[in-house]
Amino acid sequence: MSTKQQALFIIFGGTGDLAKRKLYPALFALYQKGIINEHFAVIGTARRPWTDQHFQAVVCESLPEQDTTAAKKFAAHFYYQSHNVNDTEHYVTLKKLAQKLDKKYQIGGNRLFYLAMSPRFFGTIAQHLKSQEIVTADGYNRVIIEKPFGHDYQSAAELNQSISKYFSEDDVFRIDHYLGKEMVQNILAIRFGNNIFNSLWNNRYIDNLQITLSESLGVEERAGYYETAGALRDMVQNHILQIVSLLTMKMPTTYSEADIRREKICALKALKVYQPQEVAENFVRAQYQAANGLKGYRQEDQIASDSQTETFVAGKLKVASENFAGVPIYIRTGKRLRQKATRIDVIFKPVPGNIFADQNLADNILTIKVEPEGKVSLQVNVKKIGQGYQLQEQQLDLSPENRNGQQIAEAYEKLLLDALAGDATNFTHWEEVAYSWKFVDAIRQAWDNSQQPLVEYPCGSMGPKQADELLAIDHRHWIY
Ligand code: NAD
């Protein structure tokens, strides 16, 4: 994987926030590691009339170390082309520039097209890449696309069709950056690399799963988009359901893209799609209210004063698979919560029969902290040191030891490297997207047709009390 790569990156939306905050630093990290080196170039395209020099200065500014020789040498591989994606003429110029750079850097025809702009342009771009022959015959041609992939199943299917007319599924890399996170990737290692977990990973031994993706920030500058999306579409359809699929999928035959994706698709297909009454019983939607000196959602800029957009979702998912039938999966995500954290708790069933009759046994809980700190721990019961026979709970730290003191790579760095290597394991297949939307659409439709108002939660809390009641009714509680 860490062999040298040669590729021409064509980034649509090269002046945008994503490109500056994530893509250029990630490419620089690959450059620093020597993975991309001499044989690469980047064409940034957007509407603004920038020069190459200005673009290179912007790229340098986006890097953690801006003024070093390495940063300047890296930025010298960047070229800018003013480009309106709807203008066919612009693709003709783009093709010439691509050919010139391919020759100059001896790239061998490998092209990665990164669509870092609104999905409404994806179809047009894909069509022009083919019709104007910007795709090459002598190398690979891969398209990397960003979320949101549609706003429901129908729009996602249309979007997919507009791309798949020109690119095969194998060449489409749909980013879900949670799949690039070290501790999310660790889920399969923990599950399938350890018999103690693998053999217990089913409804005989697992009581429930809990997934929390909490954000401390509010809607910030993404208000326009967020108003039309809400937490269900923004976080549940992609990131949370991807984590659910990794937690509930069966063991793949091999650790390979095809086998893993097949099992993930089955896991998502096995999610129970709810009827409206079941949505009301199993899902809570809420909006943050002013508290602790912070504005409420409806007071934020560009947000309607009567907005019905949810900034928080909690839900109980059911999986109709042999191994997970009967195991509730509680999920929760929201903005303006107590702190930023991504965390998974696997709660095991109690020992059948407690011989320590007068003492409570703590649950065995496997916790995977994805963010902010990547940690894995297991809660067990042990004897308290000393006279008598008391038990105490103990946290076993299972966090991976970083033997070489390596910096944990940022998700985008890992995913860009995967895309360069043609490995789509950590990207979402169209069928995963399709099943995820079908699950989410049923909830969205039930909410849209419901008279039930949104509930409220104060900024800085962990959500509304209804999210706690969702578990309390099952005699459970949130671990985090
Ligand atoms: P942005 O608005 O900052 O950038 C959009 C880019 O598209 C700009 O470079 C703009 O010049 C260009 N553009 C717009 N219309 C154009 C046209 N007609 N022709 C050519 N160029 C045009 O957006 P962003 O935040 O960088 O997001 C880009 C995409 O990535 C969006 O789909 C977004 O949902 C997704 N995304 C962004 C983030 C993030 O952190 N910013 C995270 C996840 C997903």
Side-chain angles (χ1 to χ4, degrees), residues 13-19 21 46-47 83-86 116-119 121 146-148 412:
T15 61
D17 173 69
L18 181 81
R21 268 189 327 108
R47 279 174 307 183
H83 179 98
N84 186 333
V85 294
N86 296 313
M117 51 193 302
S118 167
F121 297 123
E146 273 293 341
K147 79 167 196 183
Y412 275 91

Side-chain angles (χ1 to χ4, degrees), residues 11-22 45-48 80 82-87 90-91 114-122 125 145-148 175 177 221-222 225 234 239 412:
I11 301 181
F12 292 90
T15 61
D17 173 69
L18 181 81
K20 286 190 273 193
R21 268 189 327 108
K22 298 290 181 188
T45 80
R47 279 174 307 183
R48 293 180 209 182
Y80 185 78
S82 178
H83 179 98
N84 186 333
V85 294
N86 296 313
D87 189 332
H90 286 186
Y91 291 89
Y114 203 118
L115 312 192
M117 51 193 302
S118 167
R120 69 177 192 278
F121 297 123
F122 291 177
I125 300 174
I145 50 189
E146 273 293 341
K147 79 167 196 183
I175 291 248
H177 71 281
E221 65 284 346
R222 289 172 73 221
Y225 156 73
D234 190 44
H239 313 315
Y412 275 91

